[in-house]
Amino acid sequence: MYAQTSDLNNLLQRGQFQKALPILDSLSSEDSLNIDLIQKRALCYLKSGNQAQAKKLYQKALILDPDGQESNLQLSYIFEQEGNPLKALAFFRKLYQLDSSNTFFVKGIAKNLIRVNRRKEGIAFLKKAIQMDSLDVDSVSELANIYLNDQKDDLAEPLVKKAILLNESSIRIRQISTRLAYRKKDFEKVRQEVNYMMSLGDTTALYQRLLGTAYFNLDSNARSLEIFQRLVRIGEESETIRAGIAYAFLGSAKTTDSLNEAIDNFNQAIELGSSDAISDYKLGIAEVFSKKGEFTIAISLFKEVYNVYKRPKAVFRLGEIYEKNLKDMRLAESFYREYLRVCQASGIGSADEKYVELVTKKLKERHPQIVAEPVQFLSNDTLLVKKDTLRNK
């Protein structure tokens, strides 16, 4: 038995768990209630990929010793792997009862509370973990991520900064920082963060998409196009990537071919997509025809976008086309007045409404005392304004 125990310890130290199992089976047959042997067998099965058998053995050990920390901890891990956060939560609560000073147990409770949609309690436990250890970067970054998911950017920002100070080379923390920068439209920060993550080996498609969008907003259309096209080449086909390619072609707009490429990719984005951004892609196609000088088609498309999606920006662009391209100030003024009316009617504010001051100034300069009737085909009030993702220089 001594020789077997010595061989067993050597095998376990070297991580040769499958080879250790026959010895453990032999020893357990002579002492079936030995908790140490049961837990070692469970660990070997777990490390060998037999999670079901490991679970049975840990549960057996728990019957013999309900307060056994290792059994409770390993079962919490197993139930997490099985996608059963309620069970995992119960074991973490037991561990916390056994040792309330262990921040890992506190974080385990928090994580699983959040998974079962008890976010308020989960946040309270994360705050408790940070109070227990202010340098616990996992808790700091997890709380920052939750606040970011909840649109509480002001609460997330100081935690993101603290997390970076605690571990500046963490890809996960940099990902959270990138999302915050993107939310704040700090595209230079997005560029810096994603390039840094890529230098660390992170090739996550989501963040490359954000990088492509950042380059677009930094007026680097060539770099934006390069990134989105590379994503397509590696099989990352999606609505947002096709839209990114379309916007990059539209932004450069050097040749008829590039404008046609923009239309093709906008149409592919529409076919792939189901998001609220579909109206943006429709606006994009209308912009392409406007840039091509095909104003009859552009006007028809802008009218369609307004009638179907209720986008005030479409009305504004109609006014611009009639003013700048078709030199028909009478119709241009009518569209501009309609634009002001629908913006006022929406009452919610959006990127679509950023031209209000410009349009108001135009109308006051020409006819400060006259208010014309709105264009007839645009007769419905705007109830919902979609987020605009297409810049207008």
Side-chain angles (χ1 to χ4, degrees):
M1 183 175 291
Y2 175 79
Q4 282 183 310
T5 303
S6 178
D7 289 343
L8 173 64
N9 291 333
N10 288 331
L11 290 170
L12 292 175
Q13 287 174 5
R14 293 198 298 268
Q16 296 179 317
F17 300 107
Q18 285 186 319
K19 289 184 178 180
L21 276 170
I23 299 175
L24 281 165
D25 290 340
S26 175
L27 292 171
S28 297
S29 66
E30 299 178 19
D31 189 0
S32 62
L33 299 181
N34 186 313
I35 292 177
D36 183 58
L37 289 176
I38 294 171
Q39 289 178 332
K40 284 178 178 176
R41 284 182 72 206
L43 178 63
C44 287
Y45 277 116
L46 190 63
K47 296 292 186 180
S48 300
N50 192 339
Q51 188 166 285
Q53 186 61 28
K55 180 179 173 182
K56 290 179 183 178
L57 288 168
Y58 280 124
Q59 287 173 328
K60 179 179 178 180
L62 207 60
I63 292 171
L64 297 171
D65 181 14
D67 293 338
Q69 191 171 102
E70 182 180 347
S71 298
N72 279 286
L73 182 59
Q74 294 291 7
L75 284 168
S76 69
Y77 164 79
I78 289 171
F79 280 112
E80 280 188 334
Q81 292 296 303
E82 291 180 349
N84 192 335
L86 275 174
K87 283 282 189 180
L89 176 61
F91 284 106
F92 273 116
R93 286 194 184 279
K94 177 65 176 181
L95 289 163
Y96 181 63
Q97 290 175 1
L98 297 171
D99 182 3
S100 60
S101 65
N102 191 314
T103 55
F104 182 78
F105 301 157
V106 177
K107 287 187 291 185
I109 292 173
K111 176 172 58 177
N112 286 286
L113 280 169
I114 291 163
R115 285 176 177 170
V116 297
N117 295 319
R118 293 162 65 178
R119 298 174 70 80
K120 187 175 181 180
E121 294 175 76
I123 289 171
F125 270 95
L126 276 177
K127 289 180 177 178
K128 183 179 181 66
I130 294 171
Q131 288 174 349
M132 293 167 64
D133 181 2
S134 63
L135 303 181
D136 180 12
V137 67
D138 291 336
S139 297
V140 173
S141 60
E142 184 61 31
L143 186 56
N145 189 55
I146 290 169
Y147 282 142
L148 199 58
N149 290 340
D150 290 346
Q151 309 291 319
K152 297 178 179 178
D153 298 357
D154 55 331
L155 296 177
E157 188 166 6
L159 292 166
V160 171
K161 291 179 179 178
K162 181 177 180 179
I164 289 175
L165 289 174
L166 292 171
N167 188 355
E168 65 178 11
S169 62
S170 166
I171 289 176
R172 172 170 166 72
I173 293 168
R174 293 289 181 171
Q175 288 175 340
I176 297 170
S177 177
T178 300
R179 289 175 56 215
L180 178 63
Y182 189 83
R183 188 84 59 77
K184 295 173 65 180
K185 301 189 186 321
D186 186 350
F187 297 111
E188 177 57 29
K189 178 74 170 178
V190 172
R191 184 192 68 78
Q192 293 172 2
E193 291 286 33
V194 179
N195 280 322
Y196 179 73
M197 288 191 293
M198 290 175 70
S199 74
L200 296 176
D202 180 37
T203 58
T204 308
L206 167 63
Y207 295 97
Q208 290 193 57
R209 292 203 303 269
L210 297 187
L211 178 61
T213 305
Y215 275 122
F216 173 77
N217 283 278
L218 293 169
D219 295 314
S220 297
N221 289 305
R223 291 288 291 122
S224 177
L225 184 59
E226 176 188 337
I227 289 166
F228 284 121
Q229 287 181 324
R230 184 178 68 234
L231 286 169
V232 170
R233 286 196 300 272
I234 64 175
E236 293 290 341
E237 181 80 7
S238 71
E239 166 195 347
T240 51
I241 290 173
R242 284 295 175 184
I245 293 173
Y247 286 130
F249 274 121
L250 178 58
S252 57
K254 294 180 179 178
T255 65
T256 300
D257 287 343
S258 66
L259 289 172
N260 289 335
E261 287 281 359
I263 292 174
D264 289 343
N265 281 279
F266 275 129
N267 281 323
Q268 288 184 64
I270 291 169
E271 289 176 8
L272 291 167
S274 58
S275 74
D276 290 342
I278 297 299
S279 62
D280 284 315
Y281 311 151
K282 297 275 190 179
L283 276 172
I285 294 173
E287 293 287 1
V288 173
F289 280 103
S290 178
K291 286 201 172 190
K292 291 174 72 174
E294 299 181 27
F295 299 115
T296 300
I297 298 175
I299 288 169
S300 175
L301 291 172
F302 279 125
K303 287 180 178 179
E304 179 187 348
V305 170
Y306 179 77
N307 287 331
V308 175
Y309 299 99
K310 305 304 179 189
R311 291 292 300 269
K313 182 178 180 180
V315 189
F316 170 77
R317 289 293 291 120
L318 284 165
E320 282 199 321
I321 288 174
Y322 277 103
E323 176 188 4
K324 297 178 181 179
N325 303 110
L326 302 181
K327 309 302 180 184
D328 186 338
M329 218 34 227
R330 183 186 66 80
L331 268 177
E333 287 181 13
S334 296
F335 282 113
Y336 285 147
R337 291 191 185 93
E338 176 67 4
Y339 171 75
L340 293 179
R341 186 185 71 80
V342 296
C343 287
Q344 183 179 14
S346 72
I348 59 176
S350 77
D352 276 36
E353 298 179 16
K354 65 183 179 182
Y355 313 106
V356 167
E357 185 176 344
L358 172 64
V359 170
T360 302
K361 183 179 179 182
K362 281 178 181 287
L363 293 177
K364 282 185 176 179
E365 285 176 351
R366 291 185 62 83
H367 306 289
Q369 304 301 323
I370 299 175
V371 180
E373 291 298 319
V375 180
Q376 287 302 308
F377 89 96
L378 302 170
S379 59
N380 296 323
D381 287 348
T382 297
L383 300 179
L384 179 63
V385 180
K386 304 293 185 183
K387 182 179 179 182
D388 185 15
T389 59
L390 182 64
R391 293 176 304 151
N392 201 38
K393 294 183 180 180

